[in-house]
Amino acid sequence: MADTVTLTFEPDGKTVTDNPKSILETAQGAGIALRGECGGVGVCGKCRVQITKSYGTLSPVTEKETKLLTPAELAGGMRLACQARVLAGKATVFVPPESRNEAREISGTALEGHAVLGPAVKKIACSLPRPTLADTTPDLERLAAALGRDLSGIPLPVLANLPGTLRAGDWTVTAVFWKDEPVAIESGDTTEEMYGLAIDVGSSKIICHLLNLATGKTVAQDHAENPQVMYGEDIVSRITFAAKAPENTKKLQSLVVGTINTLVARMCEGAGIPADRIYECVFDGNTVMHHLLLGIDTKYIGISPFLPALKSPVSVPAREIGLSICPEGKVTSLPLIAGYVGSDAVADLMLTRIYERTACSLVIDIGTNSELMLGNSQRIVVCSAPSGPSFEGAQISSGMKAVGGAIETFAIRDGRISYTTIGGKKPKGICGSGVIDLVAELYSAGIITKTGKFADLTHPRIKKPEGSVPVFVVAPGTETESGRDITVTEKDINEFLLAKGSLRAGWTILAEKYGIDPKTLDRVYLAGSFGTHINIKNAMALELLPQVPEERVVLAGETAVGGSKLALLSLHEREAIRPVLDRVEYVELSVEKSFNREYLRSIPIYHMIAGRQG
Amino acid sequence: MADTVTLTFEPDGKTVTDNPKSILETAQGAGIALRGECGGVGVCGKCRVQITKSYGTLSPVTEKETKLLTPAELAGGMRLACQARVLAGKATVFVPPESRNEAREISGTALEGHAVLGPAVKKIACSLPRPTLADTTPDLERLAAALGRDLSGIPLPVLANLPGTLRAGDWTVTAVFWKDEPVAIESGDTTEEMYGLAIDVGSSKIICHLLNLATGKTVAQDHAENPQVMYGEDIVSRITFAAKAPENTKKLQSLVVGTINTLVARMCEGAGIPADRIYECVFDGNTVMHHLLLGIDTKYIGISPFLPALKSPVSVPAREIGLSICPEGKVTSLPLIAGYVGSDAVADLMLTRIYERTACSLVIDIGTNSELMLGNSQRIVVCSAPSGPSFEGAQISSGMKAVGGAIETFAIRDGRISYTTIGGKKPKGICGSGVIDLVAELYSAGIITKTGKFADLTHPRIKKPEGSVPVFVVAPGTETESGRDITVTEKDINEFLLAKGSLRAGWTILAEKYGIDPKTLDRVYLAGSFGTHINIKNAMALELLPQVPEERVVLAGETAVGGSKLALLSLHEREAIRPVLDRVEYVELSVEKSFNREYLRSIPIYHMIAGRQG
């Protein structure tokens, strides 16, 4: 048994006593963020450290070190951490900034996702010995030996051009790996150029971020409408269209891929980055968006028992789906949970990290199908509540999306009506957050009953147009963009109540399953852009959210793309979520005996609002 | 746009209307089996045709034609098809028998490849529990659980159709694995239907066997000419063509793949087997054929130090090279040894198994480049001898391939000349085995000297045509198919002696390297179809082979496709050859100091033949 040695790492100031092994191994064991792209075989030269003090014996300088370090550097105590060993005694090792793997902040969401940078993509540059008649090792085996890596899985299109690639770079090349798979070989040293994409494929919007995988920085972001809306606003219409003809799935796939390609081209041009230096694209989306991007049959998601084709994450070569990045680079999906709980919900889990805490939290991601997740480090129960599109402004006669001109807040104080619009523009309609305020305030003011009917048709703001149903005038034509009144009907209010009933029934049943009183939840996360606009008091009064102390509600923002970014930048984060998902319990509301009862009970308005008891 | 012209080819009776181009190109386009060994550049003189009628304009006689055709032949309408064009109108073109590419007979191998049946392909059928609202495991995870296998590597196109596949078979399916990778999922139980292909991709011939992987039986076999010959008979012309433009490698690839697809379709139709039930294709070929089938850059095989892109075996999805079998089934190459020692030589090793014996053996695989392998279980040395195409009948004025009408044996007994032809037909030319006999017998009879010169120009069978070099008449015009004499010149004999000198120098140097007297070799294997026809006594007398006791010579037959079959049927055999190849020592003759000396020493005829001392 060898004697132990003692190393002090600077500037961390961490002192470690260990058996004599490479400085890299000792550093890694001690959690020092030292780079080592080549896996410690002495070819990448990224793990250089400086021995500033030594009271003992260092291993002699190796051939690999003399190749990668200048004589001046060696004289100054610079070594490759993977090569050098402290054989006996003590040493102080300075890790310069460029040799560090540093933690970077993930932006784009209100939650801060901290992860140690560790993408699936790695680049290793090396110089090969020139072949001669006395050294006729073939190209691939020559490269594999120089890299100290197995290249047997090299994709055929990369292999086909390998002879030219090696010679074009005068035998200096950069190998690009995804995990341990080679995905590209490039002439020259291109290690600085390493990019990735994080994409949230929403049913209505596609959000795309371009990241530098060497630094973790977001270098560009862009978004576009999902062009599949031409085949239906909701996912059920898209499933129906796809099932009609075998080529329709491909058609929907190429619409999305084409849009992403446009976004990528635009971002790459703006940032001056060649698209073939993008080696991975991690995406999230609901189960149908997920399947369609990959070209997978969606038919049976729409038919009971609503099965996805798979839920595990997949990684496929970009060229197989037609994505215009490095052709053998990977398109990676986040895992799914169920037919109506997709990888956007997984992204919510990754960012809210409710699975790490002892206290129990709830995540609500509102959409046409709202995903609800409740639990802690012990147990997580999830369900999908068919809330319908009213929160997105659809199926409400004057409803609209949360864009400029939408009424987003509404209040009645002492009988006086006030509202605000997005961008302060003349009102065009009402978006989801406006509807919540409207219903809460109309009820609070006694204008509607707890079941959403008009209490008094003689109210000055209630009109009864000829041959039509009565309407409440939210904004008179004198104030609106179109000059026409913006109104709501009892049917509109009913749509909203049905949706909130579905949501409330969902979290009530989850809390019941888990065995917790919803009022005692430690945190309630509201994910998605919808959540960032709403009046939390009103949402809680209507029991859209459980009635917890207001400070426990977290507006989480665009968690979905944030989850994809986290996974793109950190293989560790990507792997860490998998055992969590293994213990997630999916609750299919449609087979829950208590669902109908709970749903009917959840539709009316019951609670005290501004001093009124429902 | 030029006007079209009309050509009728006789004796086929085929009439073709085409743009004016060389008669060779028009013939090839129409599927007329016209020879063109030099790739249509006017140097081999094998594509001679006779214009029997012309109602239009012919291109003038070129310099190359006056060089290769006599004035009498030109006067009789004889032309080189690669040079002559019909510029306008119509013409009738007679293709004489000696200008035809005829199908050769394919024999199996004389060696029996014994292997325990254990292919890389496996099929597993199973029935899945039907999903319910209480059991919503997705399709892929449901299948993986039923199979007890990891399916995470499932190819995207298979995954895309998985939902339909599972339901079409009413939840009974068959999973097909290549090694541990899933390559297909089929509805119902299809375990009985499991096929594979073994293919030898020769520079001139493609041999294809279809095997039942469940029984190991060969169910069909077929072959075709390699259509790449239109870009050159020899591999160097193909490398040159491929290097000319980026799309040319693809062009050569699709020619071969197209021919294989035709063979596969024909065999499948005959055997009543759907092509998508073929899951693996193992192939061998020289390094250039290997690279071109896979679409790999061949340029640097042709430039010193003659490196292949790789030597390890590869397995790629069939769809990536366009092979029409199960799309995700694999195309697997046998490993290579060097730029001019390809996987056909590896097949020789696999079948002769010289690496298993204690005694030392030699394998000779004769071709334009002949592969020589010498060794035993301890050590194997190999080289490639640039023997040129004379053994295949090329570069010999009356030379031809070993097909019907070729003179394959020749003898002089007591001054009387006798010969036999393949198929007992009227002679059309001389094939490789005929040339060996001819040189041995002419020398033995004192008609040529040891350096291959005519000893006595007054010999009754030696003619000296006006303005031409002296020729020896092998078969007079009265006996031949064309009515013209079949002759050899001193230049022809010299071509042969150069080739045998290269071979002899090759095995002499290998024996030297290994440290063995060639006469003491335990076995001498002669691989390839060439070997099955030759007179061993004469071949040994000329020192084409080492002079071992005759019973030690084994005519091994078509070993190449045999090696592919062995690998297809047995994963074990495929793996077993790899450590053997790791210890194979490749000898590059062009850098061997002793090669030139040994080569020059090897050209003349030195030895006792039928009582005569050279």
Side-chain angles (χ1 to χ4, degrees):
Chain A
M1 183 74 192
D3 286 343
T4 56
V5 296
T6 303
L7 282 76
T8 300
F9 290 97
E10 293 294 357
D12 305 67
K14 204 169 203 168
T15 297
V16 188
T17 299
D18 200 356
N19 294 321
K21 51 181 79 152
S22 79
I23 294 175
L24 182 65
E25 287 170 292
T26 298
Q28 282 171 342
I32 306 289
L34 189 47
R35 294 171 74 177
E37 270 85 328
C38 70
V41 298
V43 302
C44 76
K46 304 293 187 199
C47 65
R48 40 179 72 194
V49 294
Q50 192 178 6
I51 312 294
T52 51
K53 287 177 200 162
S54 170
Y55 309 103
T57 322
L58 289 172
S59 63
V61 171
T62 68
E63 213 171 286
K64 286 172 177 168
E65 293 181 286
T66 48
K67 209 167 149 190
L68 289 162
L69 297 170
T70 64
E73 283 171 335
L74 286 166
M78 202 64 96
R79 298 292 299 263
L80 295 184
C82 69
Q83 300 293 305
R85 287 159 183 257
V86 178
L87 299 173
K90 297 181 183 185
T92 299
V93 179
F94 176 72
V95 182
E98 66 274 13
S99 300
R100 292 183 160 266
N101 257 329
E102 278 196 43
R104 317 272 165 168
E105 192 195 325
I106 310 292
S107 58
T109 148
L111 298 175
E112 290 186 9
H114 285 290
V116 175
L117 187 61
V121 178
K122 284 199 169 36
K123 284 191 138 184
I124 310 176
C126 65
S127 290
L128 313 189
R130 249 164 249 274
T132 63
L133 279 167
D135 168 14
T136 57
T137 303
D139 293 346
L140 184 68
E141 286 80 3
R142 181 172 299 271
L143 178 59
L147 290 167
R149 292 263 182 158
D150 175 23
L151 295 179
S152 62
I154 191 170
L156 185 56
V158 177
L159 175 61
N161 295 315
L162 182 66
T165 306
L166 294 185
R167 287 158 182 87
D170 199 20
W171 302 97
T172 292
V173 288
T174 303
V176 190
F177 293 89
W178 180 87
K179 292 185 178 177
D180 284 327
E181 294 178 32
V183 296
I185 308 291
E186 295 162 355
S187 296
D189 182 345
T190 62
T191 43
E192 299 296 306
E193 303 168 60
M194 186 165 76
Y195 299 90
L197 293 172
I199 304 183
D200 172 46
V201 186
S203 315
S204 53
K205 196 165 74 176
I206 297 171
I207 302 171
C208 200
H209 288 214
L210 174 63
L211 287 95
N212 184 329
L213 297 182
T215 65
K217 293 254 171 17
T218 302
V219 294
Q221 56 190 65
D222 206 340
H223 63 87
E225 294 300 306
N226 186 330
Q228 290 174 344
V229 294
M230 71 174 74
Y231 296 106
E233 187 83 13
D234 60 304
I235 55 175
V236 174
S237 339
R238 297 188 209 169
I239 293 176
T240 308
F241 172 73
K244 263 188 204 152
E247 68 274 16
N248 286 2
T249 300
K250 276 262 167 255
K251 197 177 282 180
L252 291 173
Q253 179 188 34
S254 58
L255 279 172
V256 166
V257 173
T259 298
I260 295 174
N261 283 341
T262 306
L263 291 175
V264 171
R266 209 149 69 188
M267 289 189 298
C268 282
E269 203 191 325
I273 292 166
D276 62 0
R277 297 289 197 246
I278 300 173
Y279 306 101
E280 187 173 28
C281 163
V282 177
F283 76 95
D284 64 84
N286 67 51
T287 302
V288 175
M289 291 305 103
H290 166 284
H291 279 36
L292 289 177
L293 179 59
L294 294 172
I296 299 172
D297 188 356
T298 52
K299 184 172 169 186
Y300 303 97
I301 304 174
I303 299 171
S304 174
F306 317 113
L307 295 200
L310 80 166
K311 62 181 181 183
S312 329
V314 294
S315 292
V316 301
R319 73 179 152 82
E320 290 202 4
I321 70 160
L323 190 68
S324 299
I325 61 172
C326 170
E328 301 297 329
K330 299 287 183 177
V331 174
T332 296
S333 63
L334 290 187
L336 304 168
I337 294 174
Y340 290 97
V341 185
S343 49
D344 41 358
V346 172
D348 292 338
L349 284 179
M350 290 175 76
L351 279 178
T352 59
R353 297 178 115 76
I354 64 166
Y355 59 85
E356 281 182 349
R357 279 199 297 280
T358 318
C360 187
S361 306
L362 170 68
V363 182
I364 302 185
D365 194 334
I366 291 178
T368 304
N369 283 284
S370 298
E371 294 89 15
L372 306 174
M373 289 156 274
L374 183 149
N376 64 356
S377 57
Q378 292 303 306
R379 194 180 163 204
I380 297 173
V381 287
V382 310
C383 72
S384 165
S387 43
S390 69
F391 295 125
E392 287 166 348
Q395 290 181 8
I396 300 284
S397 55
S398 297
M400 67 180 285
K401 287 184 187 168
V403 294
I407 293 175
E408 59 168 350
T409 72
F410 179 90
I412 306 178
R413 293 285 166 269
D414 306 325
R416 296 244 309 279
I417 286 174
S418 62
Y419 58 80
T420 64
T421 63
I422 295 179
K425 298 184 179 172
K426 279 193 170 185
K428 295 180 188 170
I430 316 171
C431 69
S433 59
V435 174
I436 293 173
D437 281 4
L438 185 69
V439 174
E441 297 284 320
L442 290 181
Y443 178 65
S444 193
I447 298 170
I448 58 172
T449 67
K450 66 181 182 180
T451 57
K453 303 296 171 201
F454 292 130
D456 174 11
L457 289 177
T458 64
H459 188 280
R461 292 289 280 243
I462 294 182
K463 287 190 185 174
K464 172 82 182 62
E466 192 78 27
S468 177
V469 295
V471 297
F472 178 83
V473 179
V474 182
T478 50
E479 300 170 2
T480 69
E481 165 90 12
S482 68
R484 286 193 306 274
D485 291 352
I486 293 172
T487 60
V488 287
T489 63
E490 289 178 337
K491 187 173 164 293
D492 292 337
I493 294 164
N494 192 50
E495 282 291 340
F496 170 82
L497 293 180
L498 291 175
K500 83 101 184 170
S502 170
L503 264 190
R504 185 187 175 281
W507 53 256
T508 303
I509 288 174
L510 288 187
E512 222 176 81
K513 286 264 169 198
Y514 184 91
I516 190 173
D517 175 354
K519 288 197 176 68
T520 68
L521 283 164
D522 185 58
R523 292 266 188 293
V524 174
Y525 293 94
L526 208 51
S529 60
F530 172 76
T532 56
H533 299 280
I534 74 169
N535 178 321
I536 294 171
K537 265 194 184 58
N538 281 336
M540 277 202 285
L542 293 172
E543 279 200 304
L544 205 67
L545 310 179
Q547 292 177 324
V548 297
E550 201 176 328
E551 66 276 12
R552 295 197 187 168
V553 177
V554 183
L555 301 182
E558 294 283 5
T559 41
V561 74
S564 288
K565 285 171 88 162
L566 210 53
L568 175 67
L569 293 177
S570 166
L571 206 46
H572 171 77
E573 292 288 325
R574 206 182 294 192
E575 293 306 318
I577 196 66
R578 300 192 63 178
V580 174
L581 297 182
D582 287 342
R583 57 189 161 84
V584 158
E585 299 161 41
Y586 173 67
V587 178
E588 174 58 49
L589 290 184
S590 61
V591 290
E592 282 300 310
K593 286 197 190 75
S594 54
F595 179 70
N596 274 342
R597 174 176 45 84
E598 202 56 61
Y599 179 42
L600 291 174
R601 187 187 288 170
S602 294
I603 296 167
I605 310 164
Y606 275 106
H607 297 277
M608 177 80 89
I609 300 179
R612 183 179 185 232
Q613 178 70 48
Chain B
M1 180 76 191
D3 286 334
T4 57
V5 297
T6 302
L7 282 76
T8 300
F9 291 95
E10 294 292 2
D12 306 67
K14 204 167 202 169
T15 296
V16 188
T17 298
D18 201 352
N19 293 322
K21 51 180 79 151
S22 80
I23 293 175
L24 181 64
E25 287 173 283
T26 298
Q28 283 172 341
I32 307 289
L34 190 47
R35 295 171 73 176
E37 270 86 324
C38 69
V41 297
V43 302
C44 75
K46 303 294 188 198
C47 65
R48 40 178 73 192
V49 295
Q50 192 179 6
I51 311 294
T52 52
K53 289 178 197 161
S54 169
Y55 311 101
T57 320
L58 288 172
S59 63
V61 171
T62 68
E63 215 174 288
K64 286 172 179 170
E65 291 181 287
T66 50
K67 207 168 154 189
L68 288 161
L69 298 169
T70 64
E73 285 172 331
L74 286 167
M78 202 65 95
R79 298 292 298 263
L80 295 184
C82 69
Q83 299 295 306
R85 290 161 180 255
V86 178
L87 299 173
K90 296 181 181 185
T92 299
V93 179
F94 176 74
V95 182
E98 68 273 16
S99 300
R100 290 181 164 271
N101 256 328
E102 270 191 51
R104 286 172 284 180
E105 192 197 326
I106 308 296
S107 50
T109 159
L111 298 176
E112 289 186 11
H114 287 290
V116 176
L117 186 62
V121 179
K122 283 200 170 38
K123 284 192 138 184
I124 309 175
C126 66
S127 290
L128 313 189
R130 249 165 250 273
T132 63
L133 280 168
D135 168 14
T136 57
T137 304
D139 292 347
L140 185 69
E141 286 79 5
R142 181 172 299 271
L143 178 60
L147 290 166
R149 292 259 184 162
D150 174 22
L151 295 179
S152 61
I154 191 168
L156 185 56
V158 176
L159 175 60
N161 294 315
L162 183 65
T165 306
L166 294 185
R167 287 156 183 87
D170 198 20
W171 301 97
T172 292
V173 287
T174 303
V176 189
F177 293 89
W178 179 86
K179 295 186 178 175
D180 284 326
E181 294 178 32
V183 295
I185 308 290
E186 296 163 355
S187 297
D189 181 346
T190 62
T191 43
E192 299 295 304
E193 304 168 59
M194 187 166 77
Y195 299 91
L197 293 172
I199 304 184
D200 172 46
V201 186
S203 316
S204 56
K205 195 168 66 182
I206 297 170
I207 303 172
C208 199
H209 289 214
L210 174 62
L211 287 95
N212 183 328
L213 298 182
T215 65
K217 293 252 170 12
T218 302
V219 294
Q221 56 188 67
D222 207 340
H223 65 273
E225 294 300 309
N226 186 330
Q228 290 173 345
V229 294
M230 72 173 71
Y231 295 106
E233 185 81 10
D234 60 303
I235 55 175
V236 175
S237 335
R238 296 188 210 169
I239 293 176
T240 309
F241 173 73
K244 262 188 208 155
E247 68 276 15
N248 287 2
T249 300
K250 276 264 168 254
K251 198 179 278 181
L252 292 172
Q253 179 188 35
S254 58
L255 279 172
V256 166
V257 173
T259 298
I260 296 174
N261 283 340
T262 305
L263 292 176
V264 171
R266 209 149 70 188
M267 289 190 297
C268 283
E269 202 190 327
I273 291 166
D276 62 0
R277 296 291 197 245
I278 300 173
Y279 306 101
E280 188 174 26
C281 163
V282 178
F283 76 95
D284 64 84
N286 65 52
T287 301
V288 176
M289 291 305 104
H290 167 283
H291 279 36
L292 290 177
L293 179 60
L294 294 173
I296 299 172
D297 188 354
T298 53
K299 182 171 171 188
Y300 302 96
I301 304 174
I303 299 172
S304 175
F306 316 113
L307 295 201
L310 81 168
K311 61 180 181 181
S312 330
V314 293
S315 293
V316 300
R319 73 180 153 82
E320 289 201 5
I321 69 160
L323 190 68
S324 299
I325 61 172
C326 170
E328 302 297 329
K330 298 288 182 176
V331 174
T332 297
S333 63
L334 290 187
L336 303 168
I337 294 173
Y340 290 97
V341 184
S343 50
D344 41 358
V346 172
D348 292 339
L349 284 180
M350 289 175 77
L351 278 177
T352 60
R353 299 178 111 76
I354 65 167
Y355 59 85
E356 282 184 347
R357 279 198 299 280
T358 318
C360 187
S361 306
L362 171 67
V363 181
I364 302 186
D365 194 335
I366 291 178
T368 303
N369 283 286
S370 298
E371 293 90 14
L372 305 174
M373 290 156 271
L374 184 148
N376 64 357
S377 56
Q378 292 303 306
R379 195 180 162 203
I380 296 173
V381 286
V382 309
C383 72
S384 165
S387 43
S390 71
F391 295 124
E392 288 167 347
Q395 288 181 10
I396 301 285
S397 56
S398 296
M400 67 181 287
K401 286 180 188 170
V403 296
I407 292 175
E408 61 170 347
T409 73
F410 179 89
I412 307 177
R413 292 290 166 267
D414 305 326
R416 297 244 307 280
I417 286 174
S418 63
Y419 59 80
T420 62
T421 62
I422 295 178
K425 297 184 180 171
K426 278 193 170 186
K428 296 178 185 171
I430 317 172
C431 69
S433 59
V435 175
I436 293 173
D437 281 4
L438 185 69
V439 174
E441 297 283 322
L442 291 180
Y443 178 64
S444 192
I447 298 170
I448 58 172
T449 66
K450 66 180 182 180
T451 57
K453 303 295 171 204
F454 292 129
D456 173 10
L457 288 177
T458 65
H459 187 281
R461 292 289 281 245
I462 294 182
K463 286 189 182 172
K464 173 83 180 63
E466 191 80 25
S468 176
V469 296
V471 297
F472 177 85
V473 178
V474 182
T478 52
E479 298 171 4
T480 67
E481 166 90 12
S482 67
R484 287 196 308 272
D485 290 351
I486 292 172
T487 60
V488 288
T489 63
E490 288 177 338
K491 185 173 166 295
D492 291 338
I493 293 165
N494 191 52
E495 283 289 341
F496 170 81
L497 292 180
L498 292 175
K500 83 101 185 173
S502 170
L503 264 191
R504 186 187 173 281
W507 53 255
T508 303
I509 288 173
L510 289 189
E512 225 174 79
K513 286 263 168 198
Y514 185 91
I516 191 172
D517 175 356
K519 288 197 177 69
T520 68
L521 283 164
D522 185 57
R523 292 263 189 295
V524 174
Y525 293 93
L526 208 52
S529 60
F530 172 76
T532 57
H533 299 279
I534 74 166
N535 178 320
I536 293 170
K537 266 194 185 57
N538 281 335
M540 278 203 285
L542 293 172
E543 281 201 304
L544 205 66
L545 311 180
Q547 293 175 324
V548 296
E550 200 176 328
E551 66 276 11
R552 294 196 188 169
V553 177
V554 182
L555 301 182
E558 294 284 6
T559 41
V561 72
S564 288
K565 284 170 88 162
L566 213 51
L568 176 67
L569 294 177
S570 166
L571 206 47
H572 171 76
E573 292 288 326
R574 205 181 294 190
E575 292 307 318
I577 196 67
R578 300 193 64 179
V580 175
L581 298 181
D582 286 342
R583 58 190 161 83
V584 158
E585 299 161 40
Y586 173 67
V587 179
E588 174 59 50
L589 290 184
S590 60
V591 290
E592 282 300 310
K593 288 199 187 73
S594 54
F595 180 71
N596 273 342
R597 172 175 47 83
E598 203 55 61
Y599 179 43
L600 291 173
R601 186 186 290 170
S602 295
I603 295 165
I605 310 165
Y606 274 105
H607 296 278
M608 177 81 88
I609 301 179
R612 183 176 184 235
Q613 178 68 47

